[in-house]
Amino acid sequence: MKFNLKGKDKKSSARAGEIITDHGKIQTPIFMPVGTAGSVKAVHMKDVKDDVKAQIILGNTYHLYLRPGLKVMEQAGGLHKFNGWDRPILTDSGGYQVYSLSDRRKLDESGVVFQSHIDGSRHNFNPESVMDIQRTIGADIVMAFDECTPYPCDYDYAKNSMEITHRWLDRCITHFNNTEPKYGYSQALFPIVQGSTYRDLRKISAETIASKNAEGNAIGGLSVGEPHEMMYEMTELVCGILPEDKPRYLMGVGTPANLLESISLGVDMFDCVMPTRNGRNGMLFTKNGIINIKNQKWMHDFSPIDEEGTSFVDTQYTKAYLRHMFVAKEMLGAMIASLHNLSFYLWLVAEARNHILKGDFSEWKNMMVKKLVQRL
RNA sequence: GGGGGGAUACCGAAGCGGUCAAACGGGGCAGACUGUAAAUCUGUUGGCUCAGCCUUCGGAGGUUCGAAUCCUCCUCCCCCCA
């Protein structure tokens, strides 16, 4: 994997770059649609590729390990072959499930025992097994095993958790370096900064992660309920420490406004379930603000979903029709909304990139953020 | 023609003398959702000058301190037998 910087904004830390993987190039800043269980929910891969114009998508170690399981994954020849996505893939390590499934797992120095949300069976995840699983899934970018700490999180817990994550990182790096890719293309390992909302911990963590000289670095443990300002503060602090010549990935973020603000702080990569999950639940993101398509006010609105949108669904269908799909619980509604939102997210980051290269990112960002948060 | 059952809020359906503006579903309306246990979850759903008051349980009377609940008549619906 390679990362080349292509340009920088003058008034902020925003930058435009290019990540080169064996499955193709990724132009940063980039948003990566989440495909937890091997699919971007409710969207055909064809549309993820041609309509959304996604350049890289996610998969999830915990979920894919439990279902379909490693045997199937290996027989398929890896996730790319299995789901038909021939561009880059990044897999999360299961570190988020340490947080989201905290009531059904036990964590200690050695790793985490999860009790499956599917059948209750117990499964041991540790830095070594998580590297092995991600080798088998075959993502281009694999994440270190970490604990995504909750918010709020007391200092002692955050410090101890961060230190465990750091020790796990060393084990991940060792095991990763002692193993080989299984399908003939290279994989990169990204470590993850933790430290909750404590500046001193974030600083220590960022310095620790930076010292590993990885091919890219991630910021975790944010967007878990803390105020936006706190998230930006931590992101800014960490971006100032992580190496400039490596991509920075802010995990789990976020709203369209979160993306633009974080890009201005120097983040290159994002992923979030928001465009798909909120889309399935009737929320549409547009350049002019947020639409709750289930609201009665759209009942008689026969204008296109988004006249300025880049997806074919934006002009193919009307607001009144899409609302009807949701009210009638037709699955096409979730499909249309997911596709629209993802297309919008990818348009947004592509536009951000254009403005960075053009040199007027900050002005554009400030203008956009005001519009993005409006309720239509 | 004879016998039986039923009419409750937007719909379905509990309630069978006071604690009933009325359970529960559905529908409606609104909100939430940030490395996906989520096509999910939460709130709300008679009116108002709202810690109180007013109107409501097919219609009209009546019994009672008090009725969606008991009695009389009426209207409509369903089932069975001729």
Side-chain angles (χ1 to χ4, degrees), chain A residues 335-362:
Chain A
M335 296 167 69
I336 292 170
S338 297
L339 191 51
H340 161 82
N341 280 345
L342 287 175
S343 291
F344 172 68
Y345 266 61
L346 267 294
W347 170 84
L348 187 69
V349 292
E351 198 65 8
R353 188 174 200 274
N354 291 338
H355 285 282
I356 292 167
L357 293 172
K358 205 170 124 193
D360 64 351
F361 172 78
S362 292

Side-chain angles (χ1 to χ4, degrees), chain A residues 109-334:
Chain A
E109 184 65 33
S110 67
V112 176
V113 176
F114 282 105
Q115 191 159 12
S116 163
H117 67 285
I118 300 165
D119 64 5
S121 56
R122 288 177 170 75
H123 302 269
N124 207 320
F125 280 60
N126 54 57
E128 293 76 20
S129 70
V130 165
M131 290 302 103
D132 287 338
I133 296 167
Q134 292 186 102
R135 286 290 193 198
T136 298
I137 294 170
D140 300 270
I141 298 172
V142 309
M143 301 306 299
F145 192 44
D146 70 329
E147 179 187 9
C148 175
T149 49
Y151 177 84
C153 176
D154 69 58
Y155 185 86
D156 290 344
Y157 186 95
K159 183 168 186 286
N160 183 248
S161 171
M162 177 195 77
E163 288 167 352
I164 289 175
T165 288
H166 290 170
R167 289 192 290 273
W168 285 358
L169 173 60
D170 289 335
R171 289 165 58 189
C172 282
I173 292 171
T174 299
H175 197 74
F176 185 77
N177 289 336
N178 288 337
T179 53
E180 292 290 323
K182 293 189 170 181
Y183 309 112
Y185 50 84
S186 64
Q187 295 177 287
L189 171 63
F190 281 25
I192 305 171
V193 174
Q194 287 294 340
S196 187
T197 50
Y198 303 101
R199 292 186 67 92
D200 63 322
L201 297 184
R202 283 283 170 186
K203 181 169 181 288
I204 292 168
S205 190
E207 287 167 348
T208 303
I209 268 55
S211 74
K212 306 302 176 185
N213 200 29
E215 296 186 84
N217 300 290
I219 306 166
L222 293 176
S223 65
V224 287
E226 77 283 2
H228 285 179
E229 289 315 313
M230 201 171 268
M231 176 171 87
Y232 297 143
E233 184 186 336
M234 295 300 131
T235 300
E236 183 172 28
L237 173 70
V238 169
C239 283
I241 298 169
L242 293 178
E244 182 135 25
D245 61 345
K246 300 288 166 57
R248 303 179 186 128
Y249 165 28
L250 180 55
M251 307 183 78
V253 174
T255 66
N258 288 161
L259 262 56
L260 297 190
E261 296 293 2
S262 303
I263 287 171
S264 80
L265 300 175
V267 175
D268 308 296
M269 304 163 70
F270 301 90
D271 78 283
C272 190
V273 303
M274 197 171 272
T276 44
R277 179 190 287 169
N278 290 30
R280 288 197 301 283
N281 294 326
M283 181 183 279
L284 304 183
F285 298 97
T286 77
K287 67 175 72 168
N288 295 310
I290 296 161
I291 293 174
N292 181 348
I293 200 64
K294 291 190 282 193
N295 285 178
Q296 195 175 40
K297 64 197 286 190
W298 310 113
M299 184 185 278
H300 304 291
D301 189 328
F302 298 97
S303 65
I305 292 170
D306 183 355
E307 302 182 46
E308 301 170 281
T310 57
S311 171
F312 81 89
V313 298
D314 291 327
T315 45
Q316 180 89 49
Y317 304 103
T318 65
K319 295 184 183 78
Y321 180 72
L322 182 56
R323 177 180 191 274
H324 165 62
M325 290 292 99
F326 273 94
V327 169
K329 298 187 184 352
E330 284 291 321
M331 61 178 84
L332 183 59

Side-chain angles (χ1 to χ4, degrees), chain A residues 33 40 43-57 84-87 309-314 339-340 342-344 346-347:
Chain A
V40 176
V43 186
H44 285 284
M45 284 303 180
K46 176 183 185 299
D47 288 334
V48 176
K49 190 173 177 179
D50 301 336
D51 192 82
V52 173
K53 298 182 170 61
Q55 301 178 44
I56 171 173
I57 64 173
W85 176 259
D86 60 6
R87 291 178 180 175
T310 57
S311 171
F312 81 89
V313 298
D314 291 327
L339 191 51
H340 161 82
L342 287 175
S343 291
F344 172 68
L346 267 294
W347 170 84

